[in-house]
């Protein structure tokens, strides 16, 4: 990627002499405050003046105190708050030219020519209209004496950058909008609570979630809780859906389940555009099946509460990108929206995204529902296909004749059970006999293997830990026993879900193929560990849950520190030698520093951090938060850092320390981990099925090539299978981490947001991409 015009050396002076205004508009969404905080702090870091616009576009029109300069301290303690602190409002005035004229004058008078808008597609379209009219508005103001010629010349063009804040995730071009992940957290908390009461009484629950035009929340909720049925506006059910639904519910009950869950998006419709309401569904179930049925409409609960770690990091990264895009903007660059694709920040032309978003609505209005699902993007399509497979297809009567085993290896991680459930069910759909191996490689050696069925894994998506049991034992010393059991149970393929030991165990199995023919079966490793240290994947199942646990704890600790004033907390996180949790939790919780192994530090650095905190105590923000990864340095232990800070901070601040320990591995998996685990499990089985067929000779399986033992990983924007032998070169085995880790690039952001004067390398900055218009091809049959 060529370096951006700014180049790394100019970031600190990029904004000198410029002014940026930031506003939140439309419906509120959790994480908006994190975005505002990032825009303010990075703006100030570049030398720009930054202004808050309170109450959205209304504040822009009214001017006066509604537009006020922001300071570094004014965004402190904002990160963990839901909603938007600077306020949002629907604004009729701005829709009229007269209102936009007043808004333009308010900006020109303050010398503001850069506008950052955080809102939904309506708010962003409004911003684009404003920019298009800017020249005309200035000419009119000049004519009527509203502004001087000098002011008009100084503000000759307006730069606009948008960030999408919407819990519905209904904006095309971005994988996730700010607030979506947090809304899913609220919904899943409620679903989990409802599940326990419904099971006590054998009930059917109909849950209505937000999403008037977009079924994303409903779809992910259904995937994450294993719902029996989901209604989304983009893909209405077939005309005889009532029969199908009742048959489905009865089957689940007959299979021994004590509850049914049906998820409905508020905008759910049938093929003819007629609304399907939660009450319609309730009366249908009661009338035809006589089941005790309850309706829960979640409403505004979904918008509330504190933002999830994902939303805070997403919003902070987008905020940095937005400032860079504004300050690098020229009169010729189109208004853009900064967004996330996979784990990469991208810039997209605003109106291209708005157009595709409108195309979805048009497709739905015209009854072209398949097109609507495609226009929503690849991620939406994948989720929908996996859901349909898991929920609506029954295992076939004809069997494939193959046997696939699934196991967990390493330490427990939330989301492992969701991955096992998807693996088992998709395996059964392919006609395989599915085996569960208990206690990892040790269990495989000692014959702790049993057949596992469809209903056994029914309620596993929301369970933390590992139901199969997991151990760190590696297979090498048990090759003879393992080979004998592969033969005895007739195993043709193996799915290994786990952490670094799953990867090294897989490598050992491949090495053992030369001596033991039985080990020549296809293997697929699915990364699952809180440490996120498996080579070949940017994310591991379980890391998101651990990150949220740490972030929540940091919030509580910061609150207690704010109460006592002048207090610094030192918190130790897990992760082995991998600094992912410490770094990302630092970004999400607003830490002053995060010590990690990958970025060596000395006593001088520790002293600099103490000096930095001493300066901070002179401001209105009288508290500090420092994170330390458990194995970042063998000499600078948590106790050492605590003692050093306590000594150096005498009379200025006092210290407390906290080692978080195993709570980071526990808990119910987050929506992200449930969804990620489900998709990874489904994809792993589809791959292994293909490999078994490929390696089958006269009824025997012989897999001896490098590509018959792969790791399934998330790389930038897609899930890819990589031969584990090839990943060997990318691994630091001594420290159990990949040699290159993408998240290290986010460390400068953490430091800048904590007010350290360091260089922000903008050579990685995203460039304007175009939204690839999806070519509408017939969907491949599943």
């Amino acid at each position: 990627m060529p370096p951006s015009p700014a180049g790394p050396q100019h970031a600190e002076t990029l904004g000198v002499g410029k002014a940026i205004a930031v506003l939140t508009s439309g419906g509120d969404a959790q994480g908006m405050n994190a975005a505002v905080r990032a825009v303010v702090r990075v703006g100030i870091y570049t030398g720009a003046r930054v202004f808050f616009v309170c109450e959205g576009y209304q504040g822009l029109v009214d001017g006066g105190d509604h537009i006020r300069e922001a300071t570094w301290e004014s965004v402190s303690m904002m990160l963990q708050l839901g909603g938007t602190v600077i306020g949002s409002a629907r604004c009729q005035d701005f829709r009229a030219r007269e209102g936009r004229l007043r808004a333009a004058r308010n900006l020109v008078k303050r010398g503001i020519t850069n506008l950052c808008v955080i809102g939904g597609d309506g708010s962003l379209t409004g911003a684009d209209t404003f920019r298009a009219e800017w020249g005309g508005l200035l000419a009119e103001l000049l004519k009527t004496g509203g502004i001087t010629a000098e002011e008009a010349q100084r503000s000759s063009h307006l730069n606009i950058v948008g960030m999408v804040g919407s819990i519905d995730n209904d904006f095309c071009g971005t994988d996730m909008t700010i607030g979506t992940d947090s809304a899913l957290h609220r919904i899943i908390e409620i679903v989990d609570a409802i599940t326990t009461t419904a099971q006590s009484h054998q009930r059917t629950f109909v849950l209505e979630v937000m999403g008037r035009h977009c079924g994303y929340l409903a779809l992910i909720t259904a995937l994450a809780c294993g719902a029996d049925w989901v209604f989304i506006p983009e893909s209405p059910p077939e005309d005889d859906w009532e029969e199908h639904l009742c048959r489905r519910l009865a089957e689940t009950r007959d299979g021994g389940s004590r509850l049914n869950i049906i998820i409905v998006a508020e905008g759910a419709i049938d093929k003819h555009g007629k609304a399907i309401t939660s009450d319609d569904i309730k009366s249908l179930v009661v009338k035809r099946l006589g089941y005790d049925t309850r309706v829960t409409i979640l409403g505004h609960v979904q918008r509330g509460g504190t933002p999830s770690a994902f939303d805070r990091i997403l919003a902070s990264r987008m905020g940095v990108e937005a400032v860079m895009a504004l300050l690098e903007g020229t009169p010729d660059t189109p208004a853009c929206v900064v967004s996330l694709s996979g784990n990469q920040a991208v810039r997209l032309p605003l109106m291209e995204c708005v157009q595709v978003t409108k195309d979805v609505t048009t497709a739905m209005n015209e009854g072209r529902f398949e097109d609507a699902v495609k226009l929503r993007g690849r991620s939406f399509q994948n989720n929908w296909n996996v859901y349909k497979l898991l929920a609506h297809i029954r295992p076939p009567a004809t069997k494939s004749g193959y046997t696939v085993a699934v196991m967990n290896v390493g330490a427990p991680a939330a989301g492992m059970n969701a991955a096992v459930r998807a693996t088992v069910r998709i395996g059964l759909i392919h006609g395989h006999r599915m085996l569960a191996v208990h206690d990892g490689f040790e269990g495989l050696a000692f014959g702790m293997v049993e057949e596992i069925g469809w209903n056994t894994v029914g309620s596993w998506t929301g369970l933390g830990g590992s139901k199969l049991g997991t151990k760190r034992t590696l297979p090498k010393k048990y090759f003879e026993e393992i080979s004998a059991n592969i033969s005895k149970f007739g195993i043709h393929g193996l799915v290994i879900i786990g952490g670094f030991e799953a990867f090294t165990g897989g490598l050992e199995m491949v090495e053992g193929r030369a001596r033991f023919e039985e080990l020549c079966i296809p293997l697929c490793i699915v990364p699952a560990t809180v440490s996120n240290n498996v080579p070949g994947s940017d994310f591991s199942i379980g890391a998101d849950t651990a990150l949220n646990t740490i972030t929540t704890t940091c919030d509580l600790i910061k609150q207690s520190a704010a109460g006592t004033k002048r207090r610094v907390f030192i918190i130790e996180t897990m992760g082995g030698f991998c600094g992912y949790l410490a770094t990302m939790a630092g970004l999400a919780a607003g830490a002053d520093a995060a010590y990690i192994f990958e970025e060596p530090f000395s006593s001088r650095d520790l002293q600099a951090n103490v000096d930095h905190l001493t300066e901070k105590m002179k401001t209105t923000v009288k508290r500090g938060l420092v994170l330390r990864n458990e194995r970042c340095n063998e000499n600078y232990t948590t106790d050492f850092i605590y003692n050093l800070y306590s000594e150096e901070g005498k009379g200025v601040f006092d210290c407390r320390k906290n080692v978080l320990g195993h709570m980071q591995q526990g808990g119910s998996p987050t929506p992200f981990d449930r969804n990620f685990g489900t998709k990874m499990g489904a994809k792993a089985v589809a791959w292994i099925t293909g490999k078994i067929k490929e390696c089958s000779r006269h009824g025997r399986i012989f897999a001896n090539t490098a590509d018959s033992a792969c790791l399934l990983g998330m790389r930038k924007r897609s899930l890819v299978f990589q031969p584990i032998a090839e990943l060997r070169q990318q691994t630091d085995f001594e420290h159990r981490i990949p040699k290159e880790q993408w998240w290290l690039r986010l460390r400068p952001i953490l430091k800048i947001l904590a007010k350290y004067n360091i260089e922000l390398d903008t050579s990685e900055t995203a460039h304007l991409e175009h939204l690839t218009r999806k070519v509408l091809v017939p969907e491949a049959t599943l």
Side-chain angles (χ1 to χ4, degrees):
M1 198 178 266
S4 61
Q9 65 285 9
H10 303 309
E12 299 95 314
T13 53
L14 197 60
V16 173
K18 295 179 179 176
I20 300 171
V22 57
L23 65 92
T24 53
S25 170
D28 63 312
Q30 309 95 317
M32 281 183 163
N33 292 321
V36 170
R37 170 181 177 268
V39 170
V40 169
R41 291 195 167 174
V42 176
I44 291 172
Y45 161 83
T46 63
R49 294 174 70 195
V50 187
F51 292 82
F52 289 133
V53 178
C54 301
E55 312 308 331
Y57 284 121
Q58 195 61 56
L60 210 55
V61 174
D62 296 344
D65 288 344
H66 290 291
I67 305 175
R68 57 170 193 265
E69 193 158 353
T71 63
W72 193 272
E73 282 103 48
S74 62
V75 291
S76 179
M77 280 308 257
M78 208 168 165
L79 194 58
Q80 62 269 44
L81 300 175
T84 163
V85 172
I86 58 175
S88 178
R90 308 270 178 206
C91 174
Q92 286 306 319
D93 293 349
F94 193 75
R95 288 167 189 253
R97 187 178 163 88
E98 183 51 42
R100 294 195 289 275
L101 203 60
R102 286 163 59 194
R105 182 173 185 271
N106 288 329
L107 290 179
V108 172
K109 287 291 177 196
R110 289 172 178 77
I112 300 169
T113 54
N114 297 288
L115 191 58
C116 178
V117 179
I118 307 165
D121 57 347
S123 310
L124 299 181
T125 309
D128 195 66
T129 308
F130 190 41
R131 175 179 170 159
E133 291 180 351
W134 186 255
L137 295 172
L138 257 56
E140 196 172 322
L141 286 167
L142 191 59
K143 206 161 104 186
T144 56
I147 57 173
T148 66
E150 191 192 340
E151 284 170 338
Q153 195 183 351
R154 205 175 55 216
S155 304
S156 59
H157 74 276
L158 178 70
N159 280 326
I160 281 184
V161 170
M163 279 187 259
V164 191
S166 154
I167 67 166
D168 293 335
N169 202 25
D170 55 355
F171 194 77
C172 293
T174 171
D175 282 358
M176 285 293 259
T177 57
I178 297 168
T180 306
D181 188 65
S182 304
L184 284 168
H185 273 252
R186 290 304 88 77
I187 296 169
I188 292 299
E189 281 162 21
I190 293 163
V191 172
D192 286 352
I194 280 175
T195 304
T196 50
T197 159
Q199 280 179 325
S200 311
H201 298 278
Q202 292 210 31
R203 282 199 175 132
T204 296
F205 264 91
V206 182
L207 232 84
E208 186 182 300
V209 300
M210 282 186 168
R212 203 161 304 143
H213 308 293
C214 179
Y216 187 85
L217 288 178
L219 175 54
I220 300 300
T221 302
L223 260 177
C225 73
D228 293 288
W229 197 284
V230 63
F231 291 92
I232 59 170
E234 291 89 344
S235 188
E238 295 305 323
D239 284 340
D240 60 345
W241 65 268
E242 293 92 344
E243 304 291 328
H244 192 162
L245 172 67
C246 292
R247 191 170 68 246
R248 192 61 234 290
L249 298 180
E251 269 177 19
T252 314
R253 283 290 168 97
D254 295 343
S257 173
R258 293 178 60 86
L259 85 154
N260 300 110
I261 294 182
I262 300 163
I263 309 286
V264 193
E266 59 181 340
I269 49 173
D270 66 14
K271 281 262 180 349
H272 313 286
K274 181 176 168 290
I276 298 176
T277 69
S278 26
D279 286 332
D280 294 343
I281 298 163
K282 176 185 171 171
S283 45
L284 170 76
V285 176
V286 172
K287 199 164 83 197
R288 296 218 190 159
L289 298 170
Y291 291 172
D292 183 0
T293 307
R294 298 281 192 277
V295 171
T296 303
I297 296 173
L298 297 189
H300 280 72
V301 169
Q302 297 160 82
R303 285 192 188 280
T306 181
S308 66
F310 182 94
D311 271 331
R312 300 179 195 197
I313 293 164
L314 171 70
S316 301
R317 289 178 67 186
M318 283 186 178
V320 175
E321 197 55 55
V323 171
M324 292 302 151
L326 280 172
L327 298 180
E328 289 167 13
T330 66
D332 308 323
T333 39
C336 78
V337 49
V338 293
S339 79
L340 196 70
S341 179
N343 64 15
Q344 291 182 295
V346 293
R347 298 180 189 176
L348 300 163
L350 173 63
M351 290 323 284
E352 276 185 30
C353 297
V354 169
Q355 189 51 53
V356 180
T357 306
K358 287 185 173 147
D359 291 348
V360 177
T361 316
T362 310
M364 278 156 62
N365 291 342
E366 292 173 2
R368 293 183 289 112
F369 295 109
E370 281 187 10
D371 291 356
V373 171
K374 289 198 181 76
L375 287 164
R376 279 269 179 245
R378 200 175 57 184
S379 152
F380 189 93
Q381 239 175 310
N382 286 346
N383 285 321
W384 183 232
N385 291 340
V386 171
Y387 176 76
K388 284 191 296 192
L389 264 182
L390 284 167
H392 289 229
I393 293 178
R394 280 285 161 262
T398 51
K399 297 293 175 234
S400 68
Y402 297 127
T403 297
V404 176
V406 59
M407 66 201 289
N408 290 157
V409 175
M416 276 182 164
N417 295 324
V420 172
R421 171 182 178 270
T423 304
V424 170
R425 288 199 164 177
I426 300 286
L428 293 168
I429 287 166
H430 281 294
H432 307 328
R433 174 169 152 257
M434 296 302 293
L435 299 179
V437 180
H438 297 278
D439 296 343
F441 287 114
E442 212 170 285
L444 189 54
F446 298 146
M448 294 161 70
V449 180
E450 61 175 348
E451 194 164 339
I452 188 163
W454 184 274
N455 291 326
T456 315
V457 293
S459 60
W460 283 22
T461 25
L463 301 176
S466 160
K467 289 281 281 182
L468 294 182
T470 176
K471 286 205 167 163
R472 293 178 182 267
T473 318
L474 290 171
K476 204 175 225 165
K477 58 179 176 185
Y478 293 120
F479 274 167
E480 282 174 10
E481 295 86 340
I482 287 173
S483 301
N485 280 328
I486 287 177
S487 194
K488 176 182 163 187
F489 292 101
I491 297 170
H492 299 115
L494 185 58
V495 177
I496 306 169
I497 300 163
F500 200 83
E501 290 84 1
F503 169 64
T504 44
L507 284 171
E508 285 187 7
M509 293 280 280
V510 171
E511 281 164 27
R513 284 173 170 179
R515 285 171 47 222
F516 297 92
E517 201 178 298
E518 294 85 351
L519 300 183
C520 296
I521 57 171
L523 302 176
C524 183
I525 317 279
V526 174
T529 164
V530 300
S531 306
N532 198 28
N533 62 337
V534 180
S537 190
D538 293 345
F539 295 108
S540 297
I541 297 164
D544 185 68
T545 305
L547 188 54
N548 276 286
T549 305
I550 300 168
T551 305
T552 308
T553 312
C554 289
D555 285 353
L556 299 174
I557 285 171
K558 272 174 77 176
Q559 209 169 18
S560 87
T564 41
K565 298 279 189 294
R566 299 184 192 276
R567 180 161 285 174
V568 175
F569 273 90
I570 294 150
I571 296 177
E572 183 187 299
T573 68
M574 273 185 162
F577 285 101
C578 177
Y580 177 81
L581 287 178
T583 298
M584 295 309 241
L587 256 177
D592 294 284
Y595 299 121
I596 63 168
F597 167 75
E598 292 91 340
E599 197 175 272
F601 56 97
S602 65
S603 55
R604 280 195 299 281
D605 297 313
L606 292 172
Q607 186 59 52
N609 291 146
V610 172
D611 296 344
H612 183 265
L613 283 163
T614 308
E615 282 304 303
K616 188 178 176 182
M617 296 299 161
K618 294 177 185 168
T619 69
T620 53
V621 188
K622 299 192 190 319
R623 66 180 182 279
L625 178 69
V626 174
L627 297 179
R628 177 187 175 275
N629 169 256
E630 57 183 355
R631 304 192 70 173
C632 62
N633 186 303
E634 57 183 335
N635 295 317
Y636 299 140
T637 60
T638 302
D639 286 338
F640 177 92
I641 293 175
Y642 167 73
N643 292 334
L644 175 82
Y645 271 59
S646 299
E647 183 58 39
E648 295 293 324
K650 263 189 188 153
V652 183
F653 58 80
D654 64 349
C655 282
R656 294 288 184 275
K657 64 170 190 254
N658 201 326
V659 177
L660 298 185
H662 280 73
M663 63 186 263
Q664 296 163 79
Q665 282 181 353
S668 177
T670 56
F672 180 92
D673 278 333
R674 295 180 195 202
N675 183 17
F676 190 43
T678 301
K679 282 202 285 200
M680 296 281 268
K683 214 167 167 68
V685 178
W687 176 85
I688 224 155
T689 304
K691 275 289 168 236
I692 291 174
K693 288 177 182 162
E694 217 177 277
C695 303
S696 183
R697 296 278 178 281
H698 314 297
R700 291 191 56 206
I701 309 297
F702 187 75
N704 204 12
T705 52
D707 69 352
S708 63
C710 281
L711 181 133
L712 170 58
M714 166 79 120
R715 280 289 174 99
K716 290 188 174 162
R717 301 186 187 187
S718 45
L719 290 172
V720 287
F721 290 94
Q722 307 142 96
I724 50 176
E726 286 176 15
L727 294 173
R728 191 185 273 281
Q729 288 78 46
Q730 300 171 23
T731 311
D732 169 356
F733 283 97
E734 186 194 342
H735 299 104
R736 299 160 53 92
I737 50 174
K739 288 179 183 170
E740 278 189 21
Q741 304 186 85
W742 68 272
W743 51 265
L744 284 166
R745 294 199 305 273
L746 303 184
R747 296 222 8 121
I749 299 176
L750 171 76
K751 293 174 186 171
I752 286 166
L753 293 175
K755 211 174 184 176
Y756 283 90
N757 195 14
I758 67 149
E759 280 185 9
L760 175 63
D761 180 359
T762 50
S763 58
E764 276 283 344
T765 315
H767 293 272
L768 197 65
E769 296 187 8
H770 289 281
L771 196 56
T772 43
R773 295 303 299 270
K774 317 277 181 303
V775 184
L776 300 176
V777 288
E779 192 174 316
T781 48
L782 283 164

